[in-house]
Amino acid sequence: MLTKVSLFSSKRDFILASFAILFIATYSLLMEFNNYKRLTQFDSSLVTATLQKQYEKTKLAKSGKIKKYQVLKLKSDDDFVFYTTSKKRVNAHVGQKIELEIWAGDISFYEYMTGFYAFSKVLHLSLDLSAKNSLNVMIAHEHQDKNSTSVYQALYTAKPLERDIQNKFSSLGVSHLVAISGFHLSVLSALLFFLLKHPYKFLQNRYFPYRSHKVDSFIIIAVILLSYLLFLDSPPSLLRAFVMLVIGFILYDRGMELISTQTLFLSVILLLALFPRLLFSLGFWLSVAGVFYIFLFLLYYKGLSKVWQFVLVPFWVYVLMIPYSIIIFGNFSVYHPLSIVWTSLFSVFYPLSIFLHLIGFGDSLDVFLKLLINLDTNATKIALDAKWLAFYVILSLLAVWKKIFLLFTLLNALSIFIYAVYQIT
């Protein structure tokens, strides 16, 4: 039996890779800093941005009256995110291009990287529908229920959910199913591989038997997924998953060890070097955490049969991700543990829903979505200090080193889960 080759066979390989990543990171940061200096060079700047969110807020004026105003979250063509406000509702929809004059001269580089507030003046609203907005319109035409439309648009085009639906899914523990992530990418990859397998083998046997089915299939699938990633404006969690998919295949194709924390570490460092903003993305780090715990399971329990791995991994990931879910989001309900079931069913629901939308029967599964959305969760807000999460992350990292820390990590996660259950009983 052939043994897998490790990622770095010598210190020299590790040092060369480190210098290459350091060079990429330095170049990326210099590019970002140059864009920052250009934005803040004058008191105001002209910016073209895409509307990501728009919602209403209120404040108490000095006169004692309640004033309403609109908050807009926008992403510029230069990739920085900022917030602005308007006294009147801007007649634009999510995904629409807006030209603005913004006053951002006093922001720091850190604020530029993480997101900032700026006064603005809307100059022009683009009337042209982007491909993403056109797809959202097509999805809306297949549904009569507004909430179901919103869910499918979130699933296919990464359009933000309404806040009340988002809170409901958070209470049910299924937010990760609606926010496009690596889980969706894996389902799409498996679906594409299945669809390509037999047509490719037919052509291969007749015209190019010398080609590798696995390599060619991966290249085709990677191109399709990259196109989809760019179409969605590269959501952080999906970007992480795509890079890991590419790195994973390269390692597999060269007979290197695939399931290791080294692979995850390399993917994360490379992504941060290429896209420094990911350092401040919560979605990116939650996505990394989910994959990390799967790798941790396979690291210690790779001797189990494939059937047991398939059965246990969903429970394992759910329990070990509970501290993140509760400490960061705080929503918990009696239905939260059922997310294990919903996650398993989603592997069937997701590709089936895509097929039904393609043939014009997209509303066929709306009845199930309505039941989920209208479910009375009686959610409870649970407040836990962020220090618990810092302690939990340290324990998790130490678990890579020794199994005893893995047991402590598991006990810590179960304790937080039991505490959450106690709060709702």
Side-chain angles (χ1 to χ4, degrees):
M1 182 178 175
L2 295 174
T3 57
K4 295 287 184 181
V5 181
S6 61
L7 185 58
F8 300 113
S9 56
S10 66
K11 287 184 178 179
R12 178 178 174 274
D13 292 341
F14 177 78
I15 292 170
L16 287 174
S18 299
F19 273 112
I21 290 173
L22 183 62
F23 173 79
I24 294 170
T26 304
Y27 181 78
S28 299
L29 280 171
L30 285 173
M31 289 291 291
E32 290 286 2
F33 190 74
N34 180 60
N35 291 336
Y36 160 73
K37 295 299 290 184
R38 193 171 57 194
L39 177 69
T40 57
Q41 184 176 5
F42 304 104
D43 291 336
S44 68
S45 301
L46 298 179
V47 171
T48 301
T50 304
L51 180 63
Q52 292 192 320
K53 281 185 182 180
Q54 182 177 192
Y55 52 92
E56 188 177 79
K57 293 194 76 173
T58 58
K59 69 176 180 179
L60 184 64
K62 292 181 179 179
S63 61
K65 293 182 179 180
I66 300 295
K67 287 192 174 182
K68 295 181 180 180
Y69 61 98
Q70 298 294 317
V71 178
L72 283 72
K73 180 182 179 183
L74 301 116
K75 184 178 182 181
S76 78
D77 288 353
D78 286 333
D79 213 32
F80 62 84
V81 175
F82 65 100
Y83 292 83
T84 190
T85 53
S86 173
K87 292 180 180 180
K88 296 180 180 180
R89 182 174 179 82
V90 177
N91 190 24
H93 51 77
V94 172
Q96 189 169 357
K97 290 281 187 179
I98 304 176
E99 292 180 16
L100 313 96
E101 181 179 7
I102 70 170
W103 284 263
D106 294 331
I107 64 168
S108 65
F109 183 58
Y110 174 79
E111 289 173 318
Y112 171 79
M113 294 293 287
T114 58
F116 58 91
Y117 172 83
F119 291 104
S120 69
K121 178 183 178 182
V122 176
L123 302 177
H124 177 68
L125 296 176
S126 174
L127 299 177
D128 296 331
L129 278 179
S130 66
K132 189 191 294 188
N133 288 329
S134 298
L135 179 57
N136 280 328
V137 170
M138 292 171 63
I139 293 169
H141 284 162
E142 294 199 36
H143 302 273
Q144 294 182 350
D145 180 64
K146 181 182 175 182
N147 289 336
S148 297
T149 301
S150 180
V151 170
Y152 283 115
Q153 288 174 340
L155 276 175
Y156 303 150
T157 68
K159 183 179 179 180
L161 281 171
E162 297 291 335
R163 189 170 295 182
D164 56 341
I165 303 178
Q166 199 169 21
N167 290 335
K168 174 63 71 70
F169 284 160
S170 177
S171 302
L172 293 170
V174 294
S175 296
H176 63 288
L177 299 181
V178 185
I180 295 180
S181 64
F183 181 67
H184 301 75
L185 198 75
S186 62
V187 175
L188 287 174
S189 300
L191 180 63
L192 288 170
F193 184 80
F194 174 77
L195 293 174
L196 286 171
K197 183 177 180 180
H198 296 292
Y200 181 88
K201 283 194 171 182
F202 174 78
L203 294 171
Q204 181 188 36
N205 291 334
R206 285 175 174 254
Y207 304 110
F208 37 84
Y210 51 88
R211 296 291 305 175
S212 167
H213 165 248
K214 290 181 179 179
V215 172
D216 287 353
S217 296
F218 174 78
I219 292 171
I220 295 169
I221 291 170
V223 169
I224 294 172
L225 293 178
L226 178 60
S227 302
Y228 185 51
L229 179 70
L230 296 173
F231 172 75
L232 296 179
D233 295 325
S234 305
S237 54
L238 203 63
L239 182 61
R240 187 275 312 158
F242 180 77
V243 172
M244 280 205 67
L245 178 70
V246 173
I247 291 175
F249 183 81
I250 292 171
L251 296 180
Y252 168 79
D253 190 52
R254 282 155 179 72
M256 294 183 176
E257 190 176 359
L258 180 59
I259 305 299
S260 73
T261 49
Q262 271 191 353
T263 308
L264 180 60
F265 177 75
L266 176 63
S267 302
V268 171
I269 294 299
L270 186 57
L271 276 167
L272 292 176
L274 289 168
F275 311 101
R277 291 178 187 279
L278 291 179
L279 183 64
F280 311 104
S281 170
L282 178 60
F284 172 74
W285 289 112
L286 289 175
S287 179
V288 169
V291 177
F292 172 77
Y293 290 117
I294 294 174
F295 276 24
L296 207 56
F297 178 88
L298 297 175
L299 181 66
Y300 287 105
Y301 302 106
K302 58 185 175 184
L304 292 175
S305 67
K306 299 295 183 184
V307 175
W308 274 111
Q309 288 181 9
F310 180 79
V311 171
L312 292 177
V313 164
F315 290 91
W316 176 270
V317 174
Y318 172 77
V319 171
L320 290 177
M321 287 297 290
I322 272 287
Y324 299 91
S325 176
I326 292 176
I327 294 173
I328 294 173
F329 302 107
N331 292 329
F332 193 80
S333 73
V334 68
Y335 298 104
H336 200 281
L338 290 177
S339 66
I340 301 169
V341 178
W342 308 137
T343 301
S344 301
L345 293 175
F346 187 80
S347 300
V348 177
F349 171 85
Y350 186 48
L352 179 60
S353 70
I354 295 173
F355 173 72
L356 290 171
H357 278 85
L358 289 174
I359 62 174
F361 292 94
D363 61 344
S364 301
L365 302 175
D366 282 8
V367 61
F368 302 108
L369 273 181
K370 288 178 184 177
L371 286 172
L372 200 63
I373 293 170
N374 297 327
L375 194 63
D376 186 9
T377 59
N378 290 320
T380 301
K381 273 285 184 182
I382 299 173
L384 280 174
D385 198 301
K387 291 177 182 177
W388 280 103
L389 188 59
F391 174 70
Y392 182 74
V393 170
I394 293 170
L395 274 180
S396 300
L397 293 174
L398 288 173
V400 178
W401 179 45
K402 282 195 175 181
K403 193 173 183 179
I404 185 65
F405 290 108
L406 178 65
L407 298 176
F408 285 140
T409 303
L410 190 58
L411 284 173
N412 197 284
L414 287 170
S415 299
I416 292 175
F417 174 70
I418 292 169
Y419 173 76
V421 172
Y422 174 76
Q423 293 297 309
I424 62 172
T425 55

